[in-house]
Amino acid sequence: KAGVTQTPRYLIKTRGQQVTLSCSPISGHRSVSWYQQTPGQGLQFLFEYFSETQRNKGNFPGRFSGRQFSNSRSEMNVSTLELGDSALYLCASSLDGGTGHKGVSGNTIYFGEGSWLTVV
Amino acid sequence: GQSLEQPSEVTAVEGAIVQINCTYQTSGFYGLSWYQQHDGGAPTFLSYNALDGLEETGRFSSFLSRSDSYGYLLLQELQMKDSASYFCAVRDGNAGKSTFGDGTTLTVKP
């Protein structure tokens, strides 16, 4: 089955602009999460959506927002872009991810190829 | 808060065995995962431990000790293609919300 699909793959924006990134999870996956990865850094959790509801949120300013649609597709938006927002934005999906799951299948998150955002 | 520590770099030769350690401090714990990421690529899932002990998947094994808040990834019979960054991640709630370490860059030399 198709993997996690993210669009666009590459984009360049100017400071002050806003950007919307899109993510289509693996078919049947209801949990979609977003991470920011900067060069040489680990992955910083942005937020997670499940059944159109934001279930968890990381420590990012309010300029970062997201949403999930009824088909589980998700978008994230960054407003008033800053130079420091330049990063790889990764979307990940998982089967369910509820805290009751102990097995590998319920705990594996699958990443998309990411969207490379450059702010100039 | 949550934090994970892993070495920043490891170098080994082809055919060797390498162990990448990860210690963690989290408010909740549901499991430790390992991911591999090649330059320019997406992180890909390698293994997951929810209980103490060793999990083996081919050349890769992962170990967890919850009492020590410690785990490791063991890579055997190293190949050049194993050169990549390896991240440990702790699931401290829903699976989609994981805290990642800063990654270990593994360089495999001939």
Side-chain angles (χ1 to χ4, degrees):
Chain A
K1 54 185 174 182
V4 179
T5 305
Q6 291 187 246
T7 57
R9 286 296 320 277
Y10 304 92
L11 66 165
I12 300 173
K13 290 285 189 177
T14 305
R15 269 184 305 174
Q17 287 186 314
Q18 67 91 28
V19 66
T20 299
L21 308 177
S22 180
C23 172
S24 293
I26 291 172
S27 177
H29 284 193
R30 297 164 65 192
S31 167
V32 175
S33 49
W34 289 88
Y35 291 82
Q36 180 197 65
Q37 185 175 31
T38 49
Q41 298 299 309
L43 290 83
Q44 304 296 315
F45 173 76
L46 281 156
F47 26 65
E48 187 226 0
Y49 288 87
F50 182 84
S51 292
E52 302 179 66
T53 301
Q54 186 180 87
R55 192 159 63 172
N56 291 287
K57 189 177 189 306
N59 297 321
F60 277 80
R63 300 185 297 107
F64 292 81
S65 62
R67 59 177 174 168
Q68 186 180 34
F69 302 95
S70 58
N71 61 359
S72 293
R73 191 177 70 83
S74 176
E75 289 181 346
M76 69 162 282
N77 184 79
V78 188
S79 62
T80 319
L81 284 166
E82 301 176 358
L83 295 179
D85 297 333
S86 295
L88 175 65
Y89 290 87
L90 291 159
C91 169
S93 75
S94 64
L95 189 61
D96 184 314
T99 56
H101 280 257
K102 300 297 184 186
V104 172
S105 65
N107 290 282
T108 303
I109 58 175
Y110 298 88
F111 285 90
E113 294 294 322
S115 292
W116 287 94
L117 170 64
T118 300
V119 182
V120 296
Chain B
Q2 339 283 22
S3 68
L4 290 87
E5 288 193 13
Q6 54 180 125
S8 58
E9 295 180 350
V10 173
T11 301
V13 296
E14 260 187 308
I17 299 173
V18 71
Q19 178 174 312
I20 300 174
N21 299 320
C22 175
T23 57
Y24 59 87
Q25 278 188 307
T26 60
S27 56
F29 180 84
Y30 291 88
L32 181 72
S33 300
W34 290 91
Y35 290 81
Q36 178 193 62
Q37 185 179 31
H38 286 98
D39 272 351
T44 55
F45 172 81
L46 290 176
S47 69
Y48 171 77
N49 294 69
L51 303 175
D52 293 349
L54 191 68
E55 295 283 343
E56 298 180 72
T57 309
R59 296 187 296 114
F60 294 179
S61 303
S62 58
F63 172 82
L64 174 66
S65 168
R66 287 174 297 171
S67 60
D68 295 322
S69 297
Y70 162 77
Y72 66 72
L73 178 70
L74 190 74
L75 298 86
Q76 304 181 73
E77 300 172 19
L78 283 174
Q79 302 175 8
M80 298 296 289
K81 67 178 182 180
D82 296 331
S83 292
S85 292
Y86 293 84
F87 295 88
C88 58
V90 166
R91 176 188 159 179
D92 49 14
N94 305 112
K97 178 185 179 296
S98 292
T99 300
F100 283 76
D102 288 342
T104 298
T105 300
L106 170 64
T107 302
V108 180
K109 296 186 174 181

